[in-house]
Amino acid sequence: MRAEGSGLRGGDQREITFTPRRSLGIGAFQEARSMTLRGKERSPGAVRDLRLPTRSLLQVVLAGGLGVVLPVALTEVWRQPGWVLGLLVQALAVPLLLGVAAVREFAIFGGGTPLPYNPPGKLVTGGPYGYVRNPMQVSMAGTCLVLGLFDPRFLAAVPVVLAYGAGLAAWHEGERLTGRFGEEWAAYRRAVRPWVPRLRPVMPPASVYVSGGCVACSAVGRWIVRRRPEGLRVLAAEEHPSGPRRISYERADGRVFQGVAAMAYVLTHIHLGWALAGWALMLPGVDRFAQLCVDAFGYGPRTVRSPYVTEGGPGAEAP
C-alpha cells in the first residue's frame, strides 16, 4: 500500500506521510452528507431495518444454543478440569468469532441475515468474507473439530457440515449469486477460497483518518502503515471535510466508525490474526468498554483543524 501526501511527524521525528484527499471539497462533502441523510429517512423498509439487529442476534443465540451449547451439555464435554476448560474456551473463540462476525457483516453491510427468506440486498465481501467465502460453515466445522478433541462424536459432524455447506453453497452460488451480481461475484469468487481462509484478505476499499496533531495519534498511523493493510488508505484527519475528533474508518458505501470501533475495522484489513482481535472488539459491550478505557487513559477526542470547515463548524478548533 502506498502512503503519500502531506507529512505528519510523530514522537520519534520520522516523517510518516498519509494520502490526502483534497479532491473532496466541502461542497462535495455536504452533497454526500445530504444524500446519506435522505437515505436514512423513514420508509416502510425502515421499520424492518430497525428489527434487523434483533433478528440477527436471535439467530446467533439460537444457532449457538442448538449447535454448540446443547451438544456440549448432552455429551458432558464440559466435565473437564478447570485449566482444560480454559483452553477449550480459548480454542473455541477462534471459529466462533468468525461465525459471529460473518452474521454481523451480513446485517450491517448487507442489510440481511443468513436465512434464505431475508438475504442481504447486496454482495457482502468484507469482514470474514474477505478471508473465506463460507465463514459460517467454516466456523461450525472448526467448532466441531475443537470439540472433537474431547469427544470423537463431534468429529462425525464435520463431514456433515461440510457436505451440507458445499451443497447449499454450490446451489446458492450457481443460481442466485451469479444471476444477481454477475461479474462482481465472479471476481470475488476467483479471489477468495470457499473453505480455506486466506492469511491476508481481499477487502472492499476503505479509508482511515488519523490525526498527526499528537504523538500518540501519529504513532497509531505509522503502526497501521507499517503493516500494509489490504484495501485501506491511511489519510490525514486534518484533510477530512468534517475534521473528525477521533480516528475515523470510512467504507466506500458511506458507513463510518470512530474510535475503538474504527481501529477494530482497521485490524481486519491486516491479516487473519489481527482480524480475530478486531472481531472480538466488535462484540456487543466489548467495544463500548474498550472505548471507555481508552478515554479514561487520556486518549479521548481531539480537536482537528480541517481546511474545509469554516469557523464554528464541526471540525473547528474549540475555544
Side-chain angles (χ1 to χ4, degrees):
M1 186 193 71
R2 184 177 64 180
E4 58 184 17
S6 59
L8 299 173
R9 293 182 180 274
D12 59 1
Q13 299 302 311
R14 291 185 301 159
E15 186 176 27
I16 299 298
T17 57
F18 304 138
T19 308
R21 193 162 62 178
R22 293 189 180 276
S23 59
L24 181 61
I26 186 63
F29 170 73
Q30 289 176 340
E31 180 181 357
R33 178 180 176 84
S34 176
M35 292 174 63
T36 301
L37 291 176
R38 287 198 301 269
K40 290 183 178 180
E41 292 177 355
R42 294 188 65 85
S43 64
V47 177
R48 291 193 297 270
D49 291 339
L50 291 176
R51 296 173 182 171
L52 181 59
T54 302
R55 292 203 309 272
S56 299
L57 179 60
L58 290 177
Q59 290 174 20
V60 169
V61 172
L62 183 62
L66 295 179
V68 180
V69 177
L70 183 60
V72 166
L74 293 177
T75 57
E76 298 188 344
V77 167
W78 55 273
R79 292 186 180 276
Q80 306 289 338
W83 67 271
V84 175
L85 284 178
L87 292 176
L88 175 61
V89 170
Q90 294 178 59
L92 286 175
V94 174
L96 292 178
L97 276 174
L98 180 67
V100 171
V103 175
R104 186 180 189 275
E105 196 77 12
F106 259 30
I108 293 180
F109 296 102
T113 69
L115 297 182
Y117 73 85
N118 185 208
K122 58 183 179 179
L123 184 64
V124 178
T125 60
Y129 292 91
Y131 290 91
V132 63
R133 291 209 309 265
N134 302 310
M136 297 181 200
Q137 293 90 334
V138 171
S139 170
M140 184 56 67
T143 300
C144 291
L145 283 174
V146 172
L147 293 173
L149 298 176
F150 300 89
D151 191 322
R153 286 175 289 184
F154 283 99
L155 296 177
V158 175
V160 175
V161 171
L162 294 178
Y164 173 79
L168 180 63
W171 168 77
H172 190 256
E173 294 173 1
E175 299 293 333
R176 301 184 62 184
L177 294 180
T178 302
R180 291 179 62 191
F181 303 111
E183 181 55 34
E184 183 184 6
W185 161 250
Y188 169 71
R189 188 176 183 179
R190 289 192 296 267
V192 181
R193 295 184 292 262
W195 300 108
V196 180
R198 298 171 56 97
L199 179 60
R200 293 181 66 85
V202 177
M203 298 290 280
S207 302
V208 59
Y209 291 88
V210 185
S211 173
C214 66
V215 175
C217 303
S218 57
V220 171
R222 293 195 303 274
W223 183 89
I224 296 172
V225 170
R226 284 198 300 268
R227 275 141 189 86
R228 299 178 294 110
E230 300 290 340
L232 183 70
R233 294 190 303 167
V234 184
L235 309 175
E238 288 75 8
E239 302 295 336
H240 193 283
S242 65
R245 302 190 65 201
R246 297 183 188 270
I247 179 174
S248 181
Y249 173 91
E250 302 186 5
R251 287 269 289 260
D253 60 5
R255 293 280 184 173
V256 178
F257 301 88
Q258 294 188 339
V260 169
M263 197 63 196
Y265 278 99
V266 167
L267 296 179
T268 67
H269 285 260
I270 300 176
H271 61 62
L272 186 57
W274 281 115
L276 289 168
W279 297 330
L281 281 174
M282 296 177 194
L283 292 174
V286 176
D287 55 347
R288 294 178 181 273
F289 177 74
Q291 187 65 67
L292 179 64
C293 292
V294 169
D295 292 348
F297 280 102
Y299 297 101
R302 310 277 179 171
T303 298
V304 175
R305 283 188 176 274
S306 171
Y308 304 116
V309 178
T310 58
E311 184 177 355
E317 185 175 6

mmCIF file with all atom_site columns, all heavy atoms in Angstrom, residues 95 98-99 132-145 161-162 193-197:
data_model
loop_
_atom_site.group_PDB
_atom_site.id
_atom_site.type_symbol
_atom_site.label_atom_id
_atom_site.label_alt_id
_atom_site.label_comp_id
_atom_site.label_asym_id
_atom_site.label_entity_id
_atom_site.label_seq_id
_atom_site.pdbx_PDB_ins_code
_atom_site.Cartn_x
_atom_site.Cartn_y
_atom_site.Cartn_z
_atom_site.occupancy
_atom_site.B_iso_or_equiv
_atom_site.pdbx_formal_charge
_atom_site.auth_seq_id
_atom_site.auth_comp_id
_atom_site.auth_asym_id
_atom_site.auth_atom_id
_atom_site.pdbx_PDB_model_num
ATOM 1   N N   . PRO A 1 95  ? -13.063 -20.114 15.985 1.00 0.00 ? 95  PRO A N   1
ATOM 2   C CA  . PRO A 1 95  ? -14.113 -20.339 14.998 1.00 0.00 ? 95  PRO A CA  1
ATOM 3   C C   . PRO A 1 95  ? -15.417 -19.604 15.320 1.00 0.00 ? 95  PRO A C   1
ATOM 4   O O   . PRO A 1 95  ? -16.126 -19.164 14.408 1.00 0.00 ? 95  PRO A O   1
ATOM 5   C CB  . PRO A 1 95  ? -14.319 -21.856 15.034 1.00 0.00 ? 95  PRO A CB  1
ATOM 6   C CG  . PRO A 1 95  ? -13.846 -22.290 16.369 1.00 0.00 ? 95  PRO A CG  1
ATOM 7   C CD  . PRO A 1 95  ? -12.714 -21.370 16.704 1.00 0.00 ? 95  PRO A CD  1
ATOM 8   N N   . LEU A 1 98  ? -15.346 -16.040 14.121 1.00 0.00 ? 98  LEU A N   1
ATOM 9   C CA  . LEU A 1 98  ? -15.508 -15.997 12.669 1.00 0.00 ? 98  LEU A CA  1
ATOM 10  C C   . LEU A 1 98  ? -16.980 -16.026 12.282 1.00 0.00 ? 98  LEU A C   1
ATOM 11  O O   . LEU A 1 98  ? -17.442 -15.244 11.446 1.00 0.00 ? 98  LEU A O   1
ATOM 12  C CB  . LEU A 1 98  ? -14.765 -17.171 12.039 1.00 0.00 ? 98  LEU A CB  1
ATOM 13  C CG  . LEU A 1 98  ? -14.820 -17.277 10.515 1.00 0.00 ? 98  LEU A CG  1
ATOM 14  C CD1 . LEU A 1 98  ? -14.068 -16.119 9.860  1.00 0.00 ? 98  LEU A CD1 1
ATOM 15  C CD2 . LEU A 1 98  ? -14.242 -18.618 10.057 1.00 0.00 ? 98  LEU A CD2 1
ATOM 16  N N   . GLY A 1 99  ? -17.748 -16.933 12.903 1.00 0.00 ? 99  GLY A N   1
ATOM 17  C CA  . GLY A 1 99  ? -19.163 -17.050 12.582 1.00 0.00 ? 99  GLY A CA  1
ATOM 18  C C   . GLY A 1 99  ? -19.975 -15.845 13.014 1.00 0.00 ? 99  GLY A C   1
ATOM 19  O O   . GLY A 1 99  ? -20.807 -15.339 12.255 1.00 0.00 ? 99  GLY A O   1
ATOM 20  N N   . VAL A 1 132 ? -12.590 -15.804 3.575  1.00 0.00 ? 132 VAL A N   1
ATOM 21  C CA  . VAL A 1 132 ? -13.124 -17.099 3.133  1.00 0.00 ? 132 VAL A CA  1
ATOM 22  C C   . VAL A 1 132 ? -14.581 -16.884 2.695  1.00 0.00 ? 132 VAL A C   1
ATOM 23  O O   . VAL A 1 132 ? -15.296 -16.075 3.287  1.00 0.00 ? 132 VAL A O   1
ATOM 24  C CB  . VAL A 1 132 ? -13.017 -18.146 4.255  1.00 0.00 ? 132 VAL A CB  1
ATOM 25  C CG1 . VAL A 1 132 ? -13.844 -17.761 5.473  1.00 0.00 ? 132 VAL A CG1 1
ATOM 26  C CG2 . VAL A 1 132 ? -13.370 -19.525 3.757  1.00 0.00 ? 132 VAL A CG2 1
ATOM 27  N N   . ARG A 1 133 ? -15.016 -17.616 1.659  1.00 0.00 ? 133 ARG A N   1
ATOM 28  C CA  . ARG A 1 133 ? -16.342 -17.376 1.108  1.00 0.00 ? 133 ARG A CA  1
ATOM 29  C C   . ARG A 1 133 ? -17.467 -17.922 1.983  1.00 0.00 ? 133 ARG A C   1
ATOM 30  O O   . ARG A 1 133 ? -18.586 -17.426 1.952  1.00 0.00 ? 133 ARG A O   1
ATOM 31  C CB  . ARG A 1 133 ? -16.456 -18.011 -0.295 1.00 0.00 ? 133 ARG A CB  1
ATOM 32  C CG  . ARG A 1 133 ? -15.622 -17.336 -1.341 1.00 0.00 ? 133 ARG A CG  1
ATOM 33  C CD  . ARG A 1 133 ? -16.242 -17.460 -2.723 1.00 0.00 ? 133 ARG A CD  1
ATOM 34  N NE  . ARG A 1 133 ? -16.616 -18.799 -3.113 1.00 0.00 ? 133 ARG A NE  1
ATOM 35  C CZ  . ARG A 1 133 ? -15.862 -19.622 -3.833 1.00 0.00 ? 133 ARG A CZ  1
ATOM 36  N NH1 . ARG A 1 133 ? -14.652 -19.229 -4.217 1.00 0.00 ? 133 ARG A NH1 1
ATOM 37  N NH2 . ARG A 1 133 ? -16.295 -20.817 -4.175 1.00 0.00 ? 133 ARG A NH2 1
ATOM 38  N N   . ASN A 1 134 ? -17.198 -18.956 2.763  1.00 0.00 ? 134 ASN A N   1
ATOM 39  C CA  . ASN A 1 134 ? -18.227 -19.595 3.586  1.00 0.00 ? 134 ASN A CA  1
ATOM 40  C C   . ASN A 1 134 ? -17.835 -19.549 5.069  1.00 0.00 ? 134 ASN A C   1
ATOM 41  O O   . ASN A 1 134 ? -17.626 -20.587 5.704  1.00 0.00 ? 134 ASN A O   1
ATOM 42  C CB  . ASN A 1 134 ? -18.433 -21.053 3.153  1.00 0.00 ? 134 ASN A CB  1
ATOM 43  C CG  . ASN A 1 134 ? -18.814 -21.166 1.690  1.00 0.00 ? 134 ASN A CG  1
ATOM 44  O OD1 . ASN A 1 134 ? -19.722 -20.495 1.216  1.00 0.00 ? 134 ASN A OD1 1
ATOM 45  N ND2 . ASN A 1 134 ? -18.100 -22.019 0.968  1.00 0.00 ? 134 ASN A ND2 1
ATOM 46  N N   . PRO A 1 135 ? -17.732 -18.360 5.649  1.00 0.00 ? 135 PRO A N   1
ATOM 47  C CA  . PRO A 1 135 ? -17.228 -18.282 7.033  1.00 0.00 ? 135 PRO A CA  1
ATOM 48  C C   . PRO A 1 135 ? -18.130 -18.945 8.061  1.00 0.00 ? 135 PRO A C   1
ATOM 49  O O   . PRO A 1 135 ? -17.635 -19.469 9.065  1.00 0.00 ? 135 PRO A O   1
ATOM 50  C CB  . PRO A 1 135 ? -17.120 -16.771 7.271  1.00 0.00 ? 135 PRO A CB  1
ATOM 51  C CG  . PRO A 1 135 ? -18.075 -16.159 6.303  1.00 0.00 ? 135 PRO A CG  1
ATOM 52  C CD  . PRO A 1 135 ? -18.044 -17.042 5.101  1.00 0.00 ? 135 PRO A CD  1
ATOM 53  N N   . MET A 1 136 ? -19.438 -18.936 7.850  1.00 0.00 ? 136 MET A N   1
ATOM 54  C CA  . MET A 1 136 ? -20.329 -19.546 8.839  1.00 0.00 ? 136 MET A CA  1
ATOM 55  C C   . MET A 1 136 ? -20.176 -21.060 8.860  1.00 0.00 ? 136 MET A C   1
ATOM 56  O O   . MET A 1 136 ? -20.121 -21.680 9.934  1.00 0.00 ? 136 MET A O   1
ATOM 57  C CB  . MET A 1 136 ? -21.777 -19.161 8.543  1.00 0.00 ? 136 MET A CB  1
ATOM 58  C CG  . MET A 1 136 ? -22.050 -17.677 8.639  1.00 0.00 ? 136 MET A CG  1
ATOM 59  S SD  . MET A 1 136 ? -23.769 -17.268 8.323  1.00 0.00 ? 136 MET A SD  1
ATOM 60  C CE  . MET A 1 136 ? -23.626 -15.530 7.917  1.00 0.00 ? 136 MET A CE  1
ATOM 61  N N   . GLN A 1 137 ? -20.082 -21.687 7.682  1.00 0.00 ? 137 GLN A N   1
ATOM 62  C CA  . GLN A 1 137 ? -19.885 -23.131 7.618  1.00 0.00 ? 137 GLN A CA  1
ATOM 63  C C   . GLN A 1 137 ? -18.500 -23.511 8.150  1.00 0.00 ? 137 GLN A C   1
ATOM 64  O O   . GLN A 1 137 ? -18.348 -24.509 8.861  1.00 0.00 ? 137 GLN A O   1
ATOM 65  C CB  . GLN A 1 137 ? -20.049 -23.624 6.183  1.00 0.00 ? 137 GLN A CB  1
ATOM 66  C CG  . GLN A 1 137 ? -21.469 -23.493 5.649  1.00 0.00 ? 137 GLN A CG  1
ATOM 67  C CD  . GLN A 1 137 ? -21.703 -22.157 4.970  1.00 0.00 ? 137 GLN A CD  1
ATOM 68  O OE1 . GLN A 1 137 ? -21.055 -21.162 5.257  1.00 0.00 ? 137 GLN A OE1 1
ATOM 69  N NE2 . GLN A 1 137 ? -22.646 -22.151 4.033  1.00 0.00 ? 137 GLN A NE2 1
ATOM 70  N N   . VAL A 1 138 ? -17.486 -22.707 7.822  1.00 0.00 ? 138 VAL A N   1
ATOM 71  C CA  . VAL A 1 138 ? -16.135 -22.961 8.339  1.00 0.00 ? 138 VAL A CA  1
ATOM 72  C C   . VAL A 1 138 ? -16.123 -22.813 9.862  1.00 0.00 ? 138 VAL A C   1
ATOM 73  O O   . VAL A 1 138 ? -15.450 -23.575 10.566 1.00 0.00 ? 138 VAL A O   1
ATOM 74  C CB  . VAL A 1 138 ? -15.127 -22.001 7.686  1.00 0.00 ? 138 VAL A CB  1
ATOM 75  C CG1 . VAL A 1 138 ? -13.761 -22.095 8.351  1.00 0.00 ? 138 VAL A CG1 1
ATOM 76  C CG2 . VAL A 1 138 ? -14.993 -22.297 6.194  1.00 0.00 ? 138 VAL A CG2 1
ATOM 77  N N   . SER A 1 139 ? -16.885 -21.846 10.363 1.00 0.00 ? 139 SER A N   1
ATOM 78  C CA  . SER A 1 139 ? -16.971 -21.650 11.812 1.00 0.00 ? 139 SER A CA  1
ATOM 79  C C   . SER A 1 139 ? -17.556 -22.880 12.503 1.00 0.00 ? 139 SER A C   1
ATOM 80  O O   . SER A 1 139 ? -17.022 -23.345 13.517 1.00 0.00 ? 139 SER A O   1
ATOM 81  C CB  . SER A 1 139 ? -17.842 -20.424 12.107 1.00 0.00 ? 139 SER A CB  1
ATOM 82  O OG  . SER A 1 139 ? -18.131 -20.322 13.481 1.00 0.00 ? 139 SER A OG  1
ATOM 83  N N   . MET A 1 140 ? -18.643 -23.427 11.949 1.00 0.00 ? 140 MET A N   1
ATOM 84  C CA  . MET A 1 140 ? -19.262 -24.599 12.561 1.00 0.00 ? 140 MET A CA  1
ATOM 85  C C   . MET A 1 140 ? -18.354 -25.821 12.471 1.00 0.00 ? 140 MET A C   1
ATOM 86  O O   . MET A 1 140 ? -18.226 -26.593 13.438 1.00 0.00 ? 140 MET A O   1
ATOM 87  C CB  . MET A 1 140 ? -20.600 -24.879 11.886 1.00 0.00 ? 140 MET A CB  1
ATOM 88  C CG  . MET A 1 140 ? -21.369 -26.038 12.520 1.00 0.00 ? 140 MET A CG  1
ATOM 89  S SD  . MET A 1 140 ? -21.670 -25.801 14.296 1.00 0.00 ? 140 MET A SD  1
ATOM 90  C CE  . MET A 1 140 ? -22.809 -24.408 14.258 1.00 0.00 ? 140 MET A CE  1
ATOM 91  N N   . ALA A 1 141 ? -17.701 -25.996 11.319 1.00 0.00 ? 141 ALA A N   1
ATOM 92  C CA  . ALA A 1 141 ? -16.784 -27.129 11.170 1.00 0.00 ? 141 ALA A CA  1
ATOM 93  C C   . ALA A 1 141 ? -15.608 -27.007 12.131 1.00 0.00 ? 141 ALA A C   1
ATOM 94  O O   . ALA A 1 141 ? -15.187 -27.994 12.751 1.00 0.00 ? 141 ALA A O   1
ATOM 95  C CB  . ALA A 1 141 ? -16.293 -27.215 9.726  1.00 0.00 ? 141 ALA A CB  1
ATOM 96  N N   . GLY A 1 142 ? -15.067 -25.792 12.280 1.00 0.00 ? 142 GLY A N   1
ATOM 97  C CA  . GLY A 1 142 ? -13.960 -25.594 13.218 1.00 0.00 ? 142 GLY A CA  1
ATOM 98  C C   . GLY A 1 142 ? -14.369 -25.842 14.651 1.00 0.00 ? 142 GLY A C   1
ATOM 99  O O   . GLY A 1 142 ? -13.611 -26.411 15.446 1.00 0.00 ? 142 GLY A O   1
ATOM 100 N N   . THR A 1 143 ? -15.592 -25.450 15.009 1.00 0.00 ? 143 THR A N   1
ATOM 101 C CA  . THR A 1 143 ? -16.093 -25.699 16.356 1.00 0.00 ? 143 THR A CA  1
ATOM 102 C C   . THR A 1 143 ? -16.193 -27.199 16.625 1.00 0.00 ? 143 THR A C   1
ATOM 103 O O   . THR A 1 143 ? -15.811 -27.685 17.705 1.00 0.00 ? 143 THR A O   1
ATOM 104 C CB  . THR A 1 143 ? -17.470 -25.037 16.535 1.00 0.00 ? 143 THR A CB  1
ATOM 105 O OG1 . THR A 1 143 ? -17.347 -23.625 16.332 1.00 0.00 ? 143 THR A OG1 1
ATOM 106 C CG2 . THR A 1 143 ? -18.025 -25.301 17.915 1.00 0.00 ? 143 THR A CG2 1
ATOM 107 N N   . CYS A 1 144 ? -16.698 -27.948 15.647 1.00 0.00 ? 144 CYS A N   1
ATOM 108 C CA  . CYS A 1 144 ? -16.815 -29.401 15.816 1.00 0.00 ? 144 CYS A CA  1
ATOM 109 C C   . CYS A 1 144 ? -15.434 -30.058 15.926 1.00 0.00 ? 144 CYS A C   1
ATOM 110 O O   . CYS A 1 144 ? -15.252 -31.021 16.680 1.00 0.00 ? 144 CYS A O   1
ATOM 111 C CB  . CYS A 1 144 ? -17.591 -29.996 14.647 1.00 0.00 ? 144 CYS A CB  1
ATOM 112 S SG  . CYS A 1 144 ? -19.342 -29.539 14.618 1.00 0.00 ? 144 CYS A SG  1
ATOM 113 N N   . LEU A 1 145 ? -14.465 -29.551 15.182 1.00 0.00 ? 145 LEU A N   1
ATOM 114 C CA  . LEU A 1 145 ? -13.109 -30.100 15.261 1.00 0.00 ? 145 LEU A CA  1
ATOM 115 C C   . LEU A 1 145 ? -12.516 -29.895 16.660 1.00 0.00 ? 145 LEU A C   1
ATOM 116 O O   . LEU A 1 145 ? -11.888 -30.808 17.218 1.00 0.00 ? 145 LEU A O   1
ATOM 117 C CB  . LEU A 1 145 ? -12.218 -29.456 14.210 1.00 0.00 ? 145 LEU A CB  1
ATOM 118 C CG  . LEU A 1 145 ? -12.382 -29.938 12.772 1.00 0.00 ? 145 LEU A CG  1
ATOM 119 C CD1 . LEU A 1 145 ? -11.526 -29.099 11.833 1.00 0.00 ? 145 LEU A CD1 1
ATOM 120 C CD2 . LEU A 1 145 ? -11.995 -31.420 12.649 1.00 0.00 ? 145 LEU A CD2 1
ATOM 121 N N   . VAL A 1 161 ? -21.347 -31.211 8.138  1.00 0.00 ? 161 VAL A N   1
ATOM 122 C CA  . VAL A 1 161 ? -21.386 -29.753 7.998  1.00 0.00 ? 161 VAL A CA  1
ATOM 123 C C   . VAL A 1 161 ? -20.801 -29.333 6.654  1.00 0.00 ? 161 VAL A C   1
ATOM 124 O O   . VAL A 1 161 ? -21.368 -28.492 5.940  1.00 0.00 ? 161 VAL A O   1
ATOM 125 C CB  . VAL A 1 161 ? -20.619 -29.084 9.153  1.00 0.00 ? 161 VAL A CB  1
ATOM 126 C CG1 . VAL A 1 161 ? -20.457 -27.591 8.896  1.00 0.00 ? 161 VAL A CG1 1
ATOM 127 C CG2 . VAL A 1 161 ? -21.336 -29.313 10.478 1.00 0.00 ? 161 VAL A CG2 1
ATOM 128 N N   . LEU A 1 162 ? -19.665 -29.927 6.293  1.00 0.00 ? 162 LEU A N   1
ATOM 129 C CA  . LEU A 1 162 ? -19.018 -29.557 5.032  1.00 0.00 ? 162 LEU A CA  1
ATOM 130 C C   . LEU A 1 162 ? -19.856 -29.973 3.829  1.00 0.00 ? 162 LEU A C   1
ATOM 131 O O   . LEU A 1 162 ? -19.981 -29.220 2.855  1.00 0.00 ? 162 LEU A O   1
ATOM 132 C CB  . LEU A 1 162 ? -17.631 -30.195 4.953  1.00 0.00 ? 162 LEU A CB  1
ATOM 133 C CG  . LEU A 1 162 ? -16.608 -29.697 5.989  1.00 0.00 ? 162 LEU A CG  1
ATOM 134 C CD1 . LEU A 1 162 ? -15.292 -30.434 5.826  1.00 0.00 ? 162 LEU A CD1 1
ATOM 135 C CD2 . LEU A 1 162 ? -16.393 -28.192 5.847  1.00 0.00 ? 162 LEU A CD2 1
ATOM 136 N N   . ARG A 1 193 ? -11.065 -18.136 -1.513 1.00 0.00 ? 193 ARG A N   1
ATOM 137 C CA  . ARG A 1 193 ? -11.367 -19.574 -1.490 1.00 0.00 ? 193 ARG A CA  1
ATOM 138 C C   . ARG A 1 193 ? -12.629 -19.852 -0.677 1.00 0.00 ? 193 ARG A C   1
ATOM 139 O O   . ARG A 1 193 ? -12.960 -19.107 0.247  1.00 0.00 ? 193 ARG A O   1
ATOM 140 C CB  . ARG A 1 193 ? -10.181 -20.342 -0.903 1.00 0.00 ? 193 ARG A CB  1
ATOM 141 C CG  . ARG A 1 193 ? -8.915  -20.288 -1.742 1.00 0.00 ? 193 ARG A CG  1
ATOM 142 C CD  . ARG A 1 193 ? -7.829  -21.152 -1.127 1.00 0.00 ? 193 ARG A CD  1
ATOM 143 N NE  . ARG A 1 193 ? -7.351  -20.606 0.121  1.00 0.00 ? 193 ARG A NE  1
ATOM 144 C CZ  . ARG A 1 193 ? -6.255  -19.862 0.252  1.00 0.00 ? 193 ARG A CZ  1
ATOM 145 N NH1 . ARG A 1 193 ? -5.524  -19.582 -0.812 1.00 0.00 ? 193 ARG A NH1 1
ATOM 146 N NH2 . ARG A 1 193 ? -5.861  -19.411 1.433  1.00 0.00 ? 193 ARG A NH2 1
ATOM 147 N N   . PRO A 1 194 ? -13.313 -20.974 -0.966 1.00 0.00 ? 194 PRO A N   1
ATOM 148 C CA  . PRO A 1 194 ? -14.562 -21.269 -0.247 1.00 0.00 ? 194 PRO A CA  1
ATOM 149 C C   . PRO A 1 194 ? -14.361 -21.832 1.153  1.00 0.00 ? 194 PRO A C   1
ATOM 150 O O   . PRO A 1 194 ? -15.174 -21.570 2.050  1.00 0.00 ? 194 PRO A O   1
ATOM 151 C CB  . PRO A 1 194 ? -15.271 -22.279 -1.159 1.00 0.00 ? 194 PRO A CB  1
ATOM 152 C CG  . PRO A 1 194 ? -14.162 -22.942 -1.917 1.00 0.00 ? 194 PRO A CG  1
ATOM 153 C CD  . PRO A 1 194 ? -13.112 -21.896 -2.103 1.00 0.00 ? 194 PRO A CD  1
ATOM 154 N N   . TRP A 1 195 ? -13.297 -22.627 1.380  1.00 0.00 ? 195 TRP A N   1
ATOM 155 C CA  . TRP A 1 195 ? -13.176 -23.347 2.647  1.00 0.00 ? 195 TRP A CA  1
ATOM 156 C C   . TRP A 1 195 ? -11.886 -23.088 3.401  1.00 0.00 ? 195 TRP A C   1
ATOM 157 O O   . TRP A 1 195 ? -11.852 -23.253 4.625  1.00 0.00 ? 195 TRP A O   1
ATOM 158 C CB  . TRP A 1 195 ? -13.299 -24.863 2.398  1.00 0.00 ? 195 TRP A CB  1
ATOM 159 C CG  . TRP A 1 195 ? -14.609 -25.223 1.796  1.00 0.00 ? 195 TRP A CG  1
ATOM 160 C CD1 . TRP A 1 195 ? -14.848 -25.616 0.504  1.00 0.00 ? 195 TRP A CD1 1
ATOM 161 C CD2 . TRP A 1 195 ? -15.892 -25.184 2.437  1.00 0.00 ? 195 TRP A CD2 1
ATOM 162 N NE1 . TRP A 1 195 ? -16.185 -25.838 0.306  1.00 0.00 ? 195 TRP A NE1 1
ATOM 163 C CE2 . TRP A 1 195 ? -16.852 -25.583 1.478  1.00 0.00 ? 195 TRP A CE2 1
ATOM 164 C CE3 . TRP A 1 195 ? -16.319 -24.867 3.712  1.00 0.00 ? 195 TRP A CE3 1
ATOM 165 C CZ2 . TRP A 1 195 ? -18.210 -25.662 1.756  1.00 0.00 ? 195 TRP A CZ2 1
ATOM 166 C CZ3 . TRP A 1 195 ? -17.673 -24.940 4.001  1.00 0.00 ? 195 TRP A CZ3 1
ATOM 167 C CH2 . TRP A 1 195 ? -18.601 -25.335 3.040  1.00 0.00 ? 195 TRP A CH2 1
ATOM 168 N N   . VAL A 1 196 ? -10.833 -22.697 2.745  1.00 0.00 ? 196 VAL A N   1
ATOM 169 C CA  . VAL A 1 196 ? -9.546  -22.449 3.413  1.00 0.00 ? 196 VAL A CA  1
ATOM 170 C C   . VAL A 1 196 ? -9.322  -20.943 3.488  1.00 0.00 ? 196 VAL A C   1
ATOM 171 O O   . VAL A 1 196 ? -9.143  -20.282 2.463  1.00 0.00 ? 196 VAL A O   1
ATOM 172 C CB  . VAL A 1 196 ? -8.387  -23.112 2.651  1.00 0.00 ? 196 VAL A CB  1
ATOM 173 C CG1 . VAL A 1 196 ? -7.061  -22.839 3.368  1.00 0.00 ? 196 VAL A CG1 1
ATOM 174 C CG2 . VAL A 1 196 ? -8.623  -24.609 2.511  1.00 0.00 ? 196 VAL A CG2 1
ATOM 175 N N   . PRO A 1 197 ? -9.331  -20.356 4.686  1.00 0.00 ? 197 PRO A N   1
ATOM 176 C CA  . PRO A 1 197 ? -9.190  -18.896 4.808  1.00 0.00 ? 197 PRO A CA  1
ATOM 177 C C   . PRO A 1 197 ? -7.843  -18.412 4.288  1.00 0.00 ? 197 PRO A C   1
ATOM 178 O O   . PRO A 1 197 ? -6.816  -19.090 4.401  1.00 0.00 ? 197 PRO A O   1
ATOM 179 C CB  . PRO A 1 197 ? -9.322  -18.657 6.315  1.00 0.00 ? 197 PRO A CB  1
ATOM 180 C CG  . PRO A 1 197 ? -10.054 -19.849 6.841  1.00 0.00 ? 197 PRO A CG  1
ATOM 181 C CD  . PRO A 1 197 ? -9.598  -20.994 5.989  1.00 0.00 ? 197 PRO A CD  1
#
